[in-house]
Short mmCIF file of all heavy atoms in Angstrom, two decimals:
data_model
loop_
_atom_site.label_atom_id
_atom_site.label_comp_id
_atom_site.label_asym_id
_atom_site.label_seq_id
_atom_site.Cartn_x
_atom_site.Cartn_y
_atom_site.Cartn_z
N ALA Z 111 -229.11 -121.71 -134.72
CA ALA Z 111 -229.19 -120.55 -133.83
C ALA Z 111 -230.29 -119.63 -134.36
O ALA Z 111 -230.49 -119.54 -135.56
CB ALA Z 111 -227.86 -119.82 -133.79
N ASP Z 112 -230.98 -118.94 -133.46
CA ASP Z 112 -231.98 -117.96 -133.89
C ASP Z 112 -231.30 -116.85 -134.67
O ASP Z 112 -231.80 -116.39 -135.68
CB ASP Z 112 -232.70 -117.36 -132.69
CG ASP Z 112 -233.50 -118.39 -131.92
OD1 ASP Z 112 -233.87 -119.43 -132.50
OD2 ASP Z 112 -233.77 -118.16 -130.73
N ARG Z 113 -230.12 -116.43 -134.16
CA ARG Z 113 -229.40 -115.32 -134.77
C ARG Z 113 -227.94 -115.40 -134.34
O ARG Z 113 -227.65 -115.68 -133.17
CB ARG Z 113 -230.03 -114.04 -134.26
CG ARG Z 113 -229.59 -112.78 -134.84
CD ARG Z 113 -230.41 -111.65 -134.30
NE ARG Z 113 -230.32 -111.70 -132.84
CZ ARG Z 113 -230.72 -110.74 -132.03
NH1 ARG Z 113 -231.26 -109.67 -132.50
NH2 ARG Z 113 -230.60 -110.85 -130.74
N VAL Z 114 -227.00 -115.18 -135.25
CA VAL Z 114 -225.59 -115.12 -134.92
C VAL Z 114 -225.23 -113.66 -134.73
O VAL Z 114 -225.51 -112.82 -135.59
CB VAL Z 114 -224.71 -115.77 -136.02
CG1 VAL Z 114 -223.24 -115.59 -135.72
CG2 VAL Z 114 -225.05 -117.25 -136.15
N LEU Z 115 -224.61 -113.34 -133.59
CA LEU Z 115 -224.27 -111.96 -133.28
C LEU Z 115 -222.90 -111.57 -133.84
O LEU Z 115 -222.74 -110.47 -134.32
CB LEU Z 115 -224.29 -111.74 -131.76
CG LEU Z 115 -225.64 -111.98 -131.09
CD1 LEU Z 115 -225.51 -111.85 -129.58
CD2 LEU Z 115 -226.69 -111.03 -131.63
N GLY Z 116 -221.93 -112.46 -133.73
CA GLY Z 116 -220.58 -112.15 -134.21
C GLY Z 116 -219.54 -112.87 -133.38
O GLY Z 116 -219.81 -113.91 -132.79
N VAL Z 117 -218.34 -112.29 -133.34
CA VAL Z 117 -217.26 -112.88 -132.56
C VAL Z 117 -216.88 -111.92 -131.44
O VAL Z 117 -217.04 -110.70 -131.57
CB VAL Z 117 -216.02 -113.23 -133.41
CG1 VAL Z 117 -216.34 -114.31 -134.41
CG2 VAL Z 117 -215.47 -112.00 -134.10
N ALA Z 118 -216.39 -112.46 -130.35
CA ALA Z 118 -215.96 -111.66 -129.22
C ALA Z 118 -214.73 -112.29 -128.60
O ALA Z 118 -214.65 -113.51 -128.49
CB ALA Z 118 -217.08 -111.57 -128.17
N GLU Z 119 -213.77 -111.45 -128.24
CA GLU Z 119 -212.60 -111.93 -127.51
C GLU Z 119 -212.87 -111.75 -126.03
O GLU Z 119 -213.22 -110.64 -125.59
CB GLU Z 119 -211.36 -111.16 -127.94
CG GLU Z 119 -210.91 -111.50 -129.34
CD GLU Z 119 -209.56 -110.89 -129.69
OE1 GLU Z 119 -209.08 -109.99 -128.96
OE2 GLU Z 119 -208.98 -111.32 -130.69
N ILE Z 120 -212.72 -112.84 -125.29
CA ILE Z 120 -213.00 -112.80 -123.86
C ILE Z 120 -211.80 -113.40 -123.12
O ILE Z 120 -211.51 -114.58 -123.26
CB ILE Z 120 -214.27 -113.60 -123.50
CG1 ILE Z 120 -215.46 -113.14 -124.34
CG2 ILE Z 120 -214.57 -113.48 -122.01
CD1 ILE Z 120 -216.70 -114.01 -124.19
N PRO Z 121 -211.10 -112.58 -122.33
CA PRO Z 121 -209.99 -113.12 -121.53
C PRO Z 121 -210.53 -114.10 -120.49
O PRO Z 121 -211.62 -113.93 -119.94
CB PRO Z 121 -209.39 -111.89 -120.85
CG PRO Z 121 -209.90 -110.72 -121.63
CD PRO Z 121 -211.23 -111.14 -122.19
N ASP Z 122 -209.76 -115.15 -120.20
CA ASP Z 122 -210.19 -116.15 -119.23
C ASP Z 122 -210.51 -115.54 -117.87
O ASP Z 122 -211.42 -116.01 -117.18
CB ASP Z 122 -209.12 -117.24 -119.06
CG ASP Z 122 -209.11 -118.21 -120.22
OD1 ASP Z 122 -210.09 -118.26 -120.98
OD2 ASP Z 122 -208.10 -118.95 -120.37
N ASP Z 123 -209.78 -114.50 -117.47
CA ASP Z 123 -210.03 -113.91 -116.15
C ASP Z 123 -211.32 -113.10 -116.09
O ASP Z 123 -211.71 -112.65 -115.02
CB ASP Z 123 -208.83 -113.09 -115.68
CG ASP Z 123 -208.52 -111.88 -116.55
OD1 ASP Z 123 -209.18 -111.70 -117.61
OD2 ASP Z 123 -207.61 -111.12 -116.19
N GLU Z 124 -211.98 -112.90 -117.22
CA GLU Z 124 -213.28 -112.22 -117.24
C GLU Z 124 -214.44 -113.20 -117.33
O GLU Z 124 -215.59 -112.79 -117.45
CB GLU Z 124 -213.34 -111.23 -118.40
CG GLU Z 124 -212.42 -110.03 -118.22
CD GLU Z 124 -212.56 -109.01 -119.33
OE1 GLU Z 124 -213.54 -109.05 -120.09
OE2 GLU Z 124 -211.63 -108.17 -119.43
N ILE Z 125 -214.14 -114.48 -117.29
CA ILE Z 125 -215.17 -115.51 -117.33
C ILE Z 125 -215.41 -116.00 -115.91
O ILE Z 125 -214.50 -116.53 -115.26
CB ILE Z 125 -214.76 -116.69 -118.24
CG1 ILE Z 125 -214.56 -116.19 -119.68
CG2 ILE Z 125 -215.81 -117.80 -118.18
CD1 ILE Z 125 -214.00 -117.25 -120.62
N GLY Z 126 -216.64 -115.78 -115.44
CA GLY Z 126 -216.99 -116.22 -114.09
C GLY Z 126 -217.65 -117.58 -114.12
O GLY Z 126 -218.11 -118.06 -115.17
N ALA Z 127 -217.72 -118.20 -112.98
CA ALA Z 127 -218.35 -119.51 -112.86
C ALA Z 127 -219.86 -119.38 -112.99
O ALA Z 127 -220.44 -118.34 -112.69
CB ALA Z 127 -218.01 -120.13 -111.50
N ALA Z 128 -220.48 -120.45 -113.46
CA ALA Z 128 -221.94 -120.50 -113.50
C ALA Z 128 -222.45 -120.46 -112.06
O ALA Z 128 -221.77 -120.95 -111.15
CB ALA Z 128 -222.40 -121.76 -114.20
N PRO Z 129 -223.60 -119.86 -111.82
CA PRO Z 129 -224.09 -119.73 -110.45
C PRO Z 129 -224.45 -121.07 -109.84
O PRO Z 129 -224.87 -121.99 -110.54
CB PRO Z 129 -225.33 -118.85 -110.59
CG PRO Z 129 -225.79 -119.08 -111.98
CD PRO Z 129 -224.54 -119.31 -112.80
N ASN Z 130 -224.28 -121.17 -108.55
CA ASN Z 130 -224.71 -122.35 -107.81
C ASN Z 130 -226.18 -122.14 -107.48
O ASN Z 130 -226.53 -121.24 -106.73
CB ASN Z 130 -223.88 -122.50 -106.54
CG ASN Z 130 -224.26 -123.74 -105.75
OD1 ASN Z 130 -225.24 -124.41 -106.08
ND2 ASN Z 130 -223.51 -124.03 -104.72
N ALA Z 131 -227.04 -122.97 -108.07
CA ALA Z 131 -228.47 -122.79 -107.89
C ALA Z 131 -229.04 -123.62 -106.75
O ALA Z 131 -230.21 -123.48 -106.40
CB ALA Z 131 -229.20 -123.15 -109.19
N MET Z 132 -228.25 -124.51 -106.19
CA MET Z 132 -228.68 -125.39 -105.10
C MET Z 132 -229.94 -126.18 -105.48
O MET Z 132 -230.83 -126.38 -104.68
CB MET Z 132 -228.87 -124.61 -103.81
CG MET Z 132 -227.56 -124.00 -103.32
SD MET Z 132 -227.70 -123.13 -101.77
CE MET Z 132 -228.12 -124.45 -100.67
N THR Z 133 -230.00 -126.58 -106.76
CA THR Z 133 -231.10 -127.41 -107.25
C THR Z 133 -230.46 -128.56 -108.01
O THR Z 133 -229.25 -128.74 -107.99
CB THR Z 133 -232.04 -126.63 -108.20
OG1 THR Z 133 -231.33 -126.30 -109.39
CG2 THR Z 133 -232.57 -125.37 -107.53
N SER Z 134 -231.26 -129.29 -108.75
CA SER Z 134 -230.73 -130.41 -109.53
C SER Z 134 -230.15 -129.95 -110.87
O SER Z 134 -229.74 -130.77 -111.67
CB SER Z 134 -231.82 -131.45 -109.77
OG SER Z 134 -232.87 -130.87 -110.51
N TRP Z 135 -230.11 -128.63 -111.12
CA TRP Z 135 -229.55 -128.10 -112.36
C TRP Z 135 -228.09 -128.48 -112.49
O TRP Z 135 -227.30 -128.33 -111.55
CB TRP Z 135 -229.71 -126.58 -112.39
CG TRP Z 135 -229.09 -125.95 -113.60
CD1 TRP Z 135 -229.41 -126.19 -114.89
CD2 TRP Z 135 -228.05 -124.98 -113.63
NE1 TRP Z 135 -228.62 -125.42 -115.74
CE2 TRP Z 135 -227.78 -124.67 -114.98
CE3 TRP Z 135 -227.31 -124.34 -112.64
CZ2 TRP Z 135 -226.82 -123.75 -115.36
CZ3 TRP Z 135 -226.35 -123.42 -113.03
CH2 TRP Z 135 -226.12 -123.14 -114.38
N ASP Z 136 -227.72 -128.97 -113.67
CA ASP Z 136 -226.34 -129.38 -113.94
C ASP Z 136 -225.63 -128.24 -114.67
O ASP Z 136 -225.80 -128.05 -115.87
CB ASP Z 136 -226.34 -130.66 -114.79
CG ASP Z 136 -224.93 -131.16 -115.08
OD1 ASP Z 136 -223.95 -130.60 -114.55
OD2 ASP Z 136 -224.82 -132.14 -115.83
N SER Z 137 -224.82 -127.49 -113.96
CA SER Z 137 -224.14 -126.33 -114.54
C SER Z 137 -222.94 -126.73 -115.40
O SER Z 137 -222.31 -125.86 -115.99
CB SER Z 137 -223.68 -125.38 -113.43
OG SER Z 137 -222.69 -126.00 -112.62
N SER Z 138 -222.65 -128.02 -115.52
CA SER Z 138 -221.48 -128.45 -116.29
C SER Z 138 -221.64 -128.18 -117.80
O SER Z 138 -220.68 -128.29 -118.54
CB SER Z 138 -221.18 -129.92 -116.06
OG SER Z 138 -222.21 -130.73 -116.59
N VAL Z 139 -222.84 -127.80 -118.25
CA VAL Z 139 -223.02 -127.46 -119.66
C VAL Z 139 -222.45 -126.09 -119.98
O VAL Z 139 -222.36 -125.71 -121.14
CB VAL Z 139 -224.50 -127.54 -120.11
CG1 VAL Z 139 -225.04 -128.96 -119.99
CG2 VAL Z 139 -225.36 -126.55 -119.37
N LEU Z 140 -222.06 -125.34 -118.94
CA LEU Z 140 -221.46 -124.02 -119.13
C LEU Z 140 -220.00 -124.03 -118.71
O LEU Z 140 -219.66 -124.51 -117.64
CB LEU Z 140 -222.20 -122.96 -118.31
CG LEU Z 140 -223.64 -122.66 -118.67
CD1 LEU Z 140 -224.20 -121.59 -117.74
CD2 LEU Z 140 -223.76 -122.23 -120.11
N ARG Z 141 -219.17 -123.46 -119.58
CA ARG Z 141 -217.77 -123.25 -119.22
C ARG Z 141 -217.69 -122.07 -118.26
O ARG Z 141 -216.82 -121.99 -117.40
CB ARG Z 141 -216.94 -122.98 -120.47
CG ARG Z 141 -215.48 -122.79 -120.17
CD ARG Z 141 -214.64 -122.78 -121.45
NE ARG Z 141 -213.30 -122.46 -121.09
CZ ARG Z 141 -212.79 -121.23 -121.13
NH1 ARG Z 141 -213.52 -120.23 -121.58
NH2 ARG Z 141 -211.56 -121.00 -120.75
#
Side-chain angles (χ1 to χ4, degrees):
D112 296 337
R113 187 175 55 168
V114 175
L115 299 175
V117 295
E119 289 188 346
I120 307 172
D122 283 343
D123 63 356
E124 291 184 16
I125 299 173
N130 182 352
M132 297 182 65
T133 67
S134 62
W135 177 60
D136 182 5
S137 65
S138 67
V139 297
L140 295 180
R141 181 170 174 265

